[in-house]
Amino acid sequence: MRFGLFFQAPEADGQTHGERYAEMFDLIALAEELGFDVAWLAELHFGGAFSLLANPLMLVPVIAQRTRRIRIGTGVTLLPLQHPLSCAEQAATADVLSGGRLEFGVGRGSIPSQFHGFRVSAADNRGRFDEALEIIRLAWTKERFSYRGTFHDVEDIAVVPRPRQRPHPPIRVAVHSAESFAHIGDTGLPIYSGTTTTPLPQLREYMALYRRHLAAAGHPWQPDQMALMLPVHVGATGTGARDAMRAGVHKYYRNLQTIFSQVPESYGEHLPRLKTINETVANLPYEKFCREQGVFGDAAEVIDRLQAARDDFGLSQIICWFDQGNVLPRAEVERTMRRFAEQVMPKLGAG
């Protein structure tokens, strides 16, 4: 079992953007000291209230300079929004400069403001994703190559630098819908999901679908097949932990409401989701969130919940989102990280 941390880094009152980055780097350095294996960085655009991480690949070498062991993942690089050759160059550079510590998480993306901002059709994101990933893998494994696709044509190109890891950095695909679980199951690629978008009851259904598609396509289940991100808080008491995170969960949905509200109504695809988000902000079903999405409790409760998830889904990596919504004092974030590392990780099979 490996353990990761997820960072989204929304804006914070009283902090410059540079200070928010610096605080995140400090927490990642602490995570390495505590024995965490991977730091995962979101990629989100055009919404500082939700995240400042517009280009996580640029941060990989910076984090590598401050650390010695921890791996650094993109959670996730949004392939439909960029040219695949440029992405291949950036990710390979990040892998070289980090000493081969890049975990290349990739996904299609689902937040409408990102597609609206880049003027990319959300309806094309599946095709763009598949084509971009194929081009990137060719760029990393062929001396020279050509490719003719629907969205990109490549003619006799050699991409440099080459990644340090061979044949390339580990690739993990974000999946949140039944369609994605089935499609990526057909490819056999390892997956990354999160309970903030795929609550545990849905995840049980979708994981069964993924496994069926893996088997039908002739792909064996691999030891590192499934990573799951969950909001986590380890408190001195279970009630105290859940009380501490209520404001953060509410703030998370308010931040989501902010970026969805900034998309013009002419971009109508976002309106049904905005309606759902507005209803959640108005009447937060917090107890349901604690049952199906967040893991908030004392150490014993968190161990029980995560052991059940590990066994239920065959998890190889548990990724903790500490301080969802960014409302906890930094000292409390560090305290819950320490509790998790010292009390939870050994019981779940750290290492």
Side-chain angles (χ1 to χ4, degrees), residues 26-258:
D26 288 344
L27 291 174
I28 292 172
L30 173 62
E32 179 175 78
E33 292 178 19
L34 295 174
F36 285 88
D37 300 291
V38 190
W40 293 93
L41 312 177
E43 179 187 326
L44 295 157
H45 301 273
F46 313 126
F50 202 53
S51 175
L52 297 174
L53 300 183
N55 194 334
L57 284 170
M58 286 187 67
L59 306 185
V60 173
V62 179
I63 294 167
Q65 291 272 320
R66 301 245 345 231
T67 57
R68 294 182 296 108
R69 176 194 56 80
I70 197 167
R71 295 181 65 79
I72 308 141
T74 54
V76 294
T77 298
L78 300 174
L79 297 188
L81 302 182
Q82 50 194 300
H83 196 288
L85 293 181
S86 177
C87 186
E89 292 172 338
Q90 290 181 48
T93 302
D95 193 51
V96 169
L97 295 180
S98 67
R101 286 195 268 158
L102 175 66
E103 300 268 333
F104 191 52
V106 294
R108 292 188 294 150
S110 62
I111 296 177
S113 57
Q114 302 183 118
F115 292 92
H116 171 72
F118 284 111
R119 288 296 191 264
V120 172
S121 170
D124 294 334
N125 72 351
R126 166 74 71 198
R128 285 182 177 276
F129 172 85
D130 289 343
E131 190 169 292
L133 185 55
E134 186 174 358
I135 291 171
I136 290 167
R137 294 171 85 177
L138 288 169
W140 285 345
T141 57
K142 303 292 185 183
E143 288 299 324
R144 304 188 72 86
F145 77 103
S146 298
Y147 181 92
R148 185 168 296 278
T150 302
F151 305 100
H152 303 284
D153 290 333
V154 178
E155 184 175 355
D156 193 28
I157 286 293
V159 172
V160 292
R162 313 292 279 183
R164 176 163 175 171
Q165 298 178 86
R166 297 301 176 88
H168 51 68
I171 295 171
R172 187 176 295 279
V173 183
V175 287
H176 301 301
S177 67
E179 177 191 12
S180 293
F181 277 85
H183 178 65
I184 302 305
D186 291 336
T187 71
L189 287 168
I191 56 174
Y192 168 110
S193 196
T195 57
T196 51
T197 51
T198 311
L200 293 171
Q202 283 184 316
L203 190 63
R204 291 187 183 93
E205 175 187 342
Y206 295 168
M207 279 300 295
L209 181 64
Y210 174 70
R211 285 178 176 268
R212 288 200 299 271
H213 278 257
L214 272 180
H219 301 296
W221 180 268
Q222 300 292 340
D224 197 30
Q225 202 76 30
M226 172 59 175
L228 180 63
M229 182 273 286
L230 312 95
V232 173
H233 186 69
V234 186
T237 67
T239 300
R242 288 181 284 278
D243 288 345
M245 290 308 298
R246 184 185 294 269
V249 173
H250 204 173
K251 180 71 177 302
Y252 166 80
Y253 283 107
R254 292 201 306 274
N255 290 344
L256 199 58
Q257 181 185 46
T258 297

Side-chain angles (χ1 to χ4, degrees), residues 232-235 322-323 328 331-341:
V232 173
H233 186 69
V234 186
F322 297 113
D323 195 19
L328 296 178
E332 181 60 23
V333 178
E334 294 182 0
R335 191 174 299 119
T336 191
M337 288 172 60
R338 290 184 185 278
R339 285 181 177 140
F340 188 89

Side-chain angles (χ1 to χ4, degrees), residues 283-348:
N283 185 23
L284 178 68
Y286 186 63
E287 289 70 24
K288 182 180 180 183
F289 185 95
C290 290
R291 289 193 308 271
E292 299 184 356
Q293 296 171 274
V295 179
F296 309 142
D298 62 25
E301 290 175 304
V302 170
I303 290 166
D304 287 345
R305 292 283 307 282
L306 293 181
Q307 281 178 335
R310 179 197 63 191
D311 298 342
D312 204 2
F313 304 119
L315 300 181
S316 60
Q317 185 176 163
I318 291 170
I319 302 166
C320 301
W321 188 358
F322 297 113
D323 195 19
Q324 183 189 16
N326 188 45
V327 300
L328 296 178
R330 176 168 169 178
E332 181 60 23
V333 178
E334 294 182 0
R335 191 174 299 119
T336 191
M337 288 172 60
R338 290 184 185 278
R339 285 181 177 140
F340 188 89
E342 294 168 1
Q343 301 176 43
V344 178
M345 283 164 52
K347 297 292 186 180
L348 294 174

